[in-house]
Amino acid sequence: MEVIIQPTYAQLVAVSAEIIRGALLKKPNLVLGLATGSTPIGLYEALARMHKTEGLDFSAVTTFNLDEYVGIPRSHPYSYHTFMETHFFNAVNIPAENRHIPQSTAVEHEEFCELYEAAIVNAGGIDIQVLGIGKDGHIGFNEPSSSLGSRTRIKTLTQGTLEANAPHFGGTVDAVPKMAITMGVGTIMEAKQCLLLANGESKAEAIAHAVEGPITAEVPASVLQMHPRTVVIIDEEAASQLKRVAYYKQVYANKQKLLSGGYYDKS
Ligand code: PGA
């Protein structure tokens, strides 16, 4: 696992946006897996700025979102469909037909979930999956105890997740949808690269368990230790419970040196 620790959220965003920019310049028809929540908002703003100021082109990009609540219309102000329009899609040129978000109103859930998985495969698989992390270590809406091999399906949200999302639903837990469609942990693990982003003290424990703890369904993000190309990009606060901070910083500094050619003896 590559762990990149940045002093601030703004710098964390800059590093993650640069990874996506680099990948998109190499592969214009990039397939992006996208996350909602407060963490990736700065990343979407940075990518939108790149689109506006330097013409970074998203016209051949395909996207797949991780999850969506079940039981609220797409037009609900706090649906993830609305979130993506507001924070990203309205500001870049990804064709509408290339954007995929699980369908919150699908009645035939099982069939829908299978079709969603098939659409990812048909698109050639996800090149880069953006992930946030819940305080309980969830990725997507894969709550603790989710099978580490799970596929896209409906999950019941934990009380903690309902409470974390209550501010978006008028402050009352009762108003938060109790279920969500989410890509499975196994689905996420098939992405060619994962970018796990986290900032703030409230994520420190989850990050410590995910990065340095045992691999366990109790902390679904911990399975990313088995992923060959996961980059964890976090700020100092989210890194504050990690044991190997000095080593991660050394690894990152050496990688920058290698990439710039500065590591080699030029004689
Ligand atoms: P957040 O949510 O980015 O709003 O903290 C992350 C998550 O729960 O997956």
Side-chain angles (χ1 to χ4, degrees), residues 2 4 15-20 32-33 35 43 127-132 191 193-198 224 227 229-233:
E2 185 178 359
I4 301 178
V15 170
S16 49
E18 204 45 53
I19 291 174
I20 292 181
L32 281 174
L43 167 63
D127 292 305
I128 300 181
Q129 175 66 57
V130 177
L131 296 167
Q193 182 172 29
C194 291
L195 300 187
L196 178 66
L197 313 181
L224 293 167
H227 191 284
R229 283 185 74 214
T230 284
V231 188
V232 177
I233 311 174

Side-chain angles (χ1 to χ4, degrees), residues 82-93:
T82 302
F83 177 101
M84 291 310 299
E85 297 288 334
T86 310
H87 292 288
F88 193 42
F89 293 153
N90 288 344
V92 291
N93 62 333

Side-chain angles (χ1 to χ4, degrees), residues 37-39 132-134 138 203:
S38 53
T39 312
I133 184 170
H138 71 219
K203 298 294 174 67

Side-chain angles (χ1 to χ4, degrees), residues 68-74 81 102-109 181:
E68 176 60 286
Y69 294 111
V70 170
I72 57 172
R74 290 176 189 208
H81 283 76
Q103 217 170 302
S104 60
T105 48
V107 177
E108 302 295 338
H109 294 298
I181 298 185

Side-chain angles (χ1 to χ4, degrees), residues 161-214:
T161 298
L162 297 178
E163 284 165 14
N165 292 333
H168 294 159
F169 290 87
T172 55
V173 167
D174 284 350
V176 184
K178 305 292 178 286
M179 291 189 283
I181 298 185
T182 181
M183 277 187 208
V185 180
T187 321
I188 292 168
M189 286 293 283
E190 283 172 9
K192 289 160 202 143
Q193 182 172 29
C194 291
L195 300 187
L196 178 66
L197 313 181
N199 64 296
E201 172 66 33
S202 68
K203 298 294 174 67
E205 192 180 349
I207 286 293
H209 285 307
V211 174
E212 294 177 342

